[in-house]
């Protein structure tokens, strides 16, 4: 299909840029010609995937499930740590796999399928097993889920970067997250109120996990049916992983990216208190299936509504601003948790936390695409994901110890301090790459 200059300009792509090679012009033409189709593919995949995965990743259902099975805050921390440990190495492995390939989609599909199988495992284990076998396999499936989550984060973000222009990514993520988050929020309320409170099929949590598996699988089907990916012309020569890892420090010569990475690490450490907020709420108020559904709805509903705002703000003003504002809101959310004394107070806290979490995810995952060269995008994504998950794999264990010895209030206060440090680093040391590239 041929594309003229008007087609490119209509989609916000400049034609005839003398700094672009002929292959870049061909790539821009392909992106413009397939933009509507690829926008729908990414929207459908993200909406359905987000609906299912957020039931697992929300700081409510899984922590409450593990606590129900074990009665231990330490085991809650261990479950969160194992999920993150699984994601430590997989981003680098996946990045080294795709950075020399013309097409990313085949690898992304394999990763996506493997990410969904642990959800099926969680459901079947919950229905069929009990005691130590149930606990052990649940932890194993959470570890597997984490491993393939880390790999998917690189491949699908890189795939989006190939087919969606920079100034459309925030809008896409905003619309996608608004729709997916709205469904996830309503579904979480219904799952808590009906599936978990009613112990549907003998294990309401397992039934919720099966629902997540079905929805995320539908999302992957939408993607493979619709998406059209161009060949990569800016890619690296094949290189063994160990040799590529030795080159990673070179990417940190970009000071803005280096300090951005430091702020990511501090923010990840600052999330140490998130999975324990629901347990803190259980100490202050009565926490049953209905209350669990309501707090999940508050978190996911706020995440949903905020995404559209974050996306529009990022497209217009840059994702550094989104990153900054989300950190401020996150600090405020933890503060609300500390002063809450009833259900209404915790609902407000989870609303603020959901909005902050969505802003951070959008800001961090989109901003990292804008540093440095296009050829290094897979490895920048991998470095950020691996560094983030390395900290995230340790912090829940430390959080479990702090919560057990010093209590949830001390742990939440520590989270606020770490997020404050991250905010200072971004404010003082990280320039917005979008404006720096334009000489602003």
């Amino acid at each position: 299909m041929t594309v003229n200059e008007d087609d490119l300009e209509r989609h916000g792509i400049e034609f005839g840029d003398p700094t672009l090679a002929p292959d870049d012009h061909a790539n821009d033409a392909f992106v413009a010609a397939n933009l509507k189709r690829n926008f729908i593919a990414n929207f459908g995949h993200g909406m359905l995937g987000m609906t299912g995965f957020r039931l697992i990743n929300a700081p409510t259902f899984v922590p409450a499930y593990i606590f129900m099975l074990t009665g231990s805050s330490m085991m809650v921390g261990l479950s969160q740590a194992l999920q993150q440990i699984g994601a430590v190495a997989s981003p680098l492995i996946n990045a080294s796999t795709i950075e020399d390939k013309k097409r990313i989609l085949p690898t992304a599909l394999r990763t996506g399928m493997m990410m969904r199988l642990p959800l099926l495992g969680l459901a079947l284990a919950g229905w069929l097993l009990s005691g130590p076998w149930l606990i052990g396999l649940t932890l194993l499936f959470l570890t597997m889920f984490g491993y393939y989550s880390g790999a998917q984060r690189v491949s699908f973000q890189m795939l989006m970067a190939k087919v969606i222009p920079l100034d459309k990514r925030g809008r896409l993520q905003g619309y996608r997250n608004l729709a997916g988050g709205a469904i996830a929020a309503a579904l979480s309320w219904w799952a808590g109120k009906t599936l978990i409170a009613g112990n549907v099929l003998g294990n309401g949590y397992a039934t919720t996990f099966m629902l997540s598996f079905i929805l995320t699988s539908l999302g992957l089907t939408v993607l493979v049916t619709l998406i059209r990916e161009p060949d990569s012309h800016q890619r690296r020569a094949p290189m063994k992983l160990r040799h590529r890892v030795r080159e990673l420090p070179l990417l940190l010569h970009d000071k803005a990216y280096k300090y951005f990475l430091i702020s990511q690490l501090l923010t990840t450490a600052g999330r140490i208190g998130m999975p324990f907020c629901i347990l803190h709420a259980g100490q202050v108020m009565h926490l049953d299936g209905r209350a669990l559904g309501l707090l999940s709805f508050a978190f996911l509903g706020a995440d949903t509504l905020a995404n559209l705002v974050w996306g529009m703000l990022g497209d217009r003003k840059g994702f550094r601003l989104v990153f900054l504002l989300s950190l401020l809101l996150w600090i405020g959310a933890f503060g609300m948790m500390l002063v809450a004394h009833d259900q209404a107070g915790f609902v407000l806290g989870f609303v603020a936390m959901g909005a902050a979490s969505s802003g951070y995810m959008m800001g961090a995952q989109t901003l990292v695409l804008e540093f440095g060269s296009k050829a290094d995008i897979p490895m920048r994504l991998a470095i950020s994901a691996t560094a983030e998950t390395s900290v995230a794999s340790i912090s829940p264990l430390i959080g479990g110890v702090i919560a057990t010895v010093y209590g949830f209030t001390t742990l939440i206060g520590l989270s606020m301090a770490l997020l404050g440090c991250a905010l200072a680093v971004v404010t003082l040391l990280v320039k917005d790459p979008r404006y720096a590239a334009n000489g602003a």
Side-chain angles (χ1 to χ4, degrees):
M1 179 178 181
T2 59
V3 180
N4 60 32
E5 297 179 27
D6 291 335
D7 292 324
L8 295 171
E9 290 171 0
R10 187 166 61 252
H11 293 297
I13 301 171
E14 250 184 69
F15 187 82
D17 185 342
T19 65
L20 296 179
D23 284 339
D24 293 316
H25 288 306
N27 181 80
D28 286 350
F30 185 97
V31 169
N34 292 278
L35 181 58
K36 183 177 180 180
R37 185 187 187 105
N38 286 331
F39 198 98
I40 294 171
N42 275 275
F43 174 82
H45 168 256
M47 177 188 68
L48 290 166
M50 179 173 301
T51 300
F53 289 136
R54 286 195 177 183
L55 294 178
I56 306 298
N57 289 324
T60 49
F61 288 121
V62 170
Y65 183 51
I66 298 298
F67 194 77
M68 182 195 74
L69 294 178
T70 66
S72 169
S73 296
M74 288 288 292
M75 290 299 292
V76 172
L78 176 62
S79 70
Q80 299 294 299
L82 289 174
Q83 187 173 333
Q84 298 300 328
I85 286 171
V88 170
S90 58
L92 285 172
I93 295 172
N94 197 53
S96 68
T97 300
I98 65 175
E99 66 177 352
D100 63 335
K101 300 291 192 298
K102 283 187 176 182
R103 299 286 179 91
I104 296 169
L105 185 59
T107 302
L109 291 177
R110 286 193 297 270
T111 302
M113 287 187 289
M114 292 303 297
M115 185 179 176
R116 285 149 177 81
L117 288 179
L119 303 184
L120 179 61
L122 286 171
L124 295 176
W127 283 328
L128 302 176
L129 302 174
S130 61
W133 278 104
L134 173 56
I135 296 170
L137 282 176
T138 296
L139 295 178
L140 174 63
F141 288 132
L142 287 173
T143 305
M144 291 175 59
F145 178 73
Y147 179 88
Y148 289 106
S149 294
Q152 177 175 272
R153 177 174 172 178
V154 173
S155 55
F156 280 95
Q157 281 296 109
M158 185 60 192
L159 187 60
M160 183 185 73
K162 286 186 69 179
V163 301
I164 305 296
L166 176 61
D167 64 347
K168 304 289 190 300
R169 293 171 194 167
R171 203 172 315 167
L172 166 63
Q173 293 176 92
Y175 294 149
R176 177 195 69 188
N177 295 356
L178 177 66
I183 299 171
L187 197 60
S188 67
W189 175 79
W190 178 78
K193 175 178 175 290
T194 304
L195 301 182
I196 294 174
N199 204 32
V200 172
L201 298 181
N203 187 325
Y205 287 100
T207 307
T208 301
F209 299 148
M210 178 57 76
L211 189 58
S212 297
F213 170 73
I214 293 171
L215 289 169
T216 55
S217 298
L218 288 174
L220 196 63
T221 303
V222 170
L223 185 76
V224 70
T225 302
L226 293 178
I227 199 165
R228 295 292 180 268
E229 179 191 2
D231 289 344
S232 295
H233 299 292
Q234 295 185 33
R235 61 184 194 275
R236 289 184 166 273
M239 182 182 295
K240 291 184 177 180
L241 177 60
R242 67 176 183 273
H243 296 149
R244 186 70 177 105
V245 168
R246 292 172 188 165
E247 293 186 348
L248 296 184
L250 296 176
L251 299 181
L252 300 182
H253 288 176
D254 182 337
K255 290 185 178 180
Y257 174 64
K258 178 175 70 175
Y259 288 120
F260 166 73
L261 184 61
I262 292 171
S263 70
Q264 274 192 295
L265 297 179
L266 287 168
T267 303
T268 304
R271 297 192 332 233
I272 188 173
M274 277 187 67
F276 299 94
C277 285
I278 193 69
L279 306 184
H280 173 57
Q283 285 188 337
V284 177
M285 54 174 272
H286 176 62
L287 190 64
D288 56 13
R290 288 177 179 271
L292 184 61
L294 176 62
L295 295 178
S296 299
F297 176 81
F299 178 86
L300 295 171
D303 183 309
T304 298
L305 297 176
N307 260 295
L308 190 58
V309 177
W310 294 131
M312 294 173 62
L313 181 64
D315 282 346
R316 294 176 182 178
K317 301 294 184 181
F319 286 95
R320 176 182 176 273
L321 180 60
V322 171
F323 194 95
L324 280 169
L325 293 178
S326 66
L327 290 176
L328 279 170
L329 187 56
W330 221 332
I331 294 169
F334 279 126
M336 293 179 196
M337 297 291 183
L338 289 178
V339 301
H341 60 274
D342 56 16
Q343 181 170 281
F346 282 107
V347 166
L348 288 176
F350 274 94
V351 164
M353 185 182 292
S357 180
S358 68
Y360 168 76
M361 291 300 293
M362 185 179 294
Q365 292 183 8
T366 309
L367 189 59
V368 71
L369 301 173
E370 300 183 35
F371 294 101
S373 69
K374 288 183 179 179
D376 287 324
I377 286 178
M379 273 301 166
R380 277 201 309 279
L381 286 167
I383 290 175
S384 287
T386 296
E388 188 175 289
T389 51
S390 296
V391 174
S393 66
I394 299 170
S395 58
L397 290 174
I398 298 173
V401 173
I402 295 173
T404 301
V405 177
Y406 298 104
F408 297 122
T409 299
T410 300
L411 180 61
I412 293 171
L414 176 61
S415 289
M416 294 176 69
L418 290 167
L419 291 172
C421 292
L423 180 65
V425 171
V426 179
T427 301
L428 299 174
L429 300 173
V430 179
K431 294 181 178 180
D432 192 318
R434 180 181 305 186
Y435 300 115
N438 292 333

